[in-house]
Amino acid sequence: MPRYHYRCSQCNMAVTVTHGIDDKHTQCEFCEEENTMIKLLTKPIIIRQEREKTSAPGIGTITNEYIEKNREVLEAEKQKAKKEVYEPS
């Protein structure tokens, strides 16, 4: 859920609240006045979660192995095609 910063117009205290995008925070937690909270303009807070590292090889490693194995097959097919004589149709 997104985090939003609010400031109370009565007591001037600021809070950070987590709620849905369509929800509104209206009551001040400090002075307990209703409809005094003003949403502040702030840049987004981005929280990145680190992925768990596994012992399995990464996708890039597997892909590179596959390319190298098939490179040998492709080279063999190219040499075979060069040796054949093709008749024009």
Side-chain angles (χ1 to χ4, degrees):
M1 283 199 171
R3 294 182 188 174
Y4 298 97
H5 299 286
Y6 287 88
R7 181 173 304 279
C8 177
S9 60
Q10 284 296 111
C11 67
N12 209 28
M13 294 298 290
V15 294
T16 301
V17 181
T18 303
H19 60 67
I21 196 164
D22 294 328
D23 298 337
K24 302 225 184 280
H25 186 73
T26 58
Q27 185 174 8
C28 178
E29 299 168 8
F30 299 100
C31 67
E32 298 180 357
E33 290 290 323
E34 190 68 35
N35 296 322
T36 58
M37 300 305 285
I38 300 168
K39 188 186 286 188
L40 303 175
L41 294 175
T42 58
K43 66 181 186 176
I45 298 171
I46 299 172
I47 300 172
R48 296 193 177 167
Q49 296 177 348
E50 296 215 12
R51 287 188 262 164
E52 218 177 276
K53 293 187 179 186
T54 62
S55 60
I59 293 173
T61 305
I62 295 169
T63 303
N64 287 336
E65 289 174 6
Y66 182 77
I67 289 170
E68 288 303 317
K69 286 178 184 175
N70 284 301
R71 190 171 280 160
E72 295 168 7
V73 172
L74 178 61
E75 191 59 39
E77 289 296 316
K78 282 169 61 175
Q79 295 302 323
K80 183 178 162 186
K82 285 181 182 179
K83 292 178 184 176
E84 289 188 31
V85 177
Y86 295 97
E87 296 288 326
S89 50

